[in-house]
Amino acid sequence: MQMRHDMLTHGVNIVAAQHGEKKMGLAVAWATQVATDRILVCVGKQSATRDLILESKAFGLSVLRADQLEVARRFGTKSSRDEDKFEGIAHHTAKTGSPLLDDCGAAFDCAVEAVHDQGEGKLIVGRIVSAEFKGTKYEPLIYREEEY
């Protein structure tokens, strides 16, 4: 059976990294907590952000709310090689140097702990250095392939 992308429910997150003057990010639906202090993200080989994560040895994960579809589209439909996706988006630099969105449901600053090859992607495990909770409760943005 061929697995469709919409068969499982995934929240949408912005994964970002900064190294030197370069700052990049992308929208991902494949991110999950794998321990109380660990987050796993899967980033494809075509991603410029993935290379920056590996160079910086850190990443920020900003969890999008249901009302942030346009932010997801901005980070999910264009390449960081071609434009600064952070232009006009309020963000700050976390302890590891990674960018985190100011306006989101929650944000996690992570230090890369392990990297595993998985097909055309890399599974990147990050140890949570710090966490920011932006409110008491929020509805997460759910990934639907037809929207990106």
Side-chain angles (χ1 to χ4, degrees), residues 9-145:
T9 302
H10 304 280
V12 181
N13 308 280
I14 302 303
V15 174
Q18 183 167 333
H19 189 66
E21 296 298 313
K22 287 189 209 173
K23 179 173 21 183
M24 298 180 175
L26 76 155
V28 301
W30 296 292
T32 190
Q33 185 176 355
V34 293
T36 57
D37 61 348
R38 303 290 191 278
I39 291 177
L40 171 81
V41 296
C42 181
V43 184
K45 71 176 183 177
Q46 77 287 357
S47 173
T49 303
R50 181 182 85 173
D51 295 337
L52 205 58
I53 291 169
L54 299 177
E55 288 174 30
S56 68
K57 297 179 179 30
F59 65 89
L61 182 120
S62 300
V63 182
L64 296 184
R65 297 184 318 266
D67 64 341
Q68 294 184 291
L69 179 59
E70 289 309 313
V71 175
R73 285 182 177 150
R74 178 179 189 151
F75 280 85
T77 60
K78 299 173 183 179
S79 172
S80 291
R81 289 181 187 93
D82 301 328
E83 74 174 60
D84 178 2
K85 296 180 190 180
F86 289 93
E87 186 176 330
I89 301 283
H91 64 283
H92 60 283
T93 303
K95 186 176 183 178
T96 65
S98 299
L100 294 173
L101 301 186
D102 290 347
D103 185 21
C104 61
F108 301 89
D109 184 24
C110 300
V112 171
E113 188 169 86
V115 179
H116 307 280
D117 290 325
Q118 180 63 42
E120 299 209 3
K122 292 234 186 245
L123 300 177
I124 303 170
V125 178
R127 179 182 45 80
I128 300 170
V129 174
S130 66
E132 301 173 10
F133 301 99
K134 307 296 184 163
T136 56
K137 195 171 185 180
Y138 63 92
E139 182 181 341
L141 178 61
I142 301 300
Y143 176 76
R144 291 177 185 85
E145 189 169 357

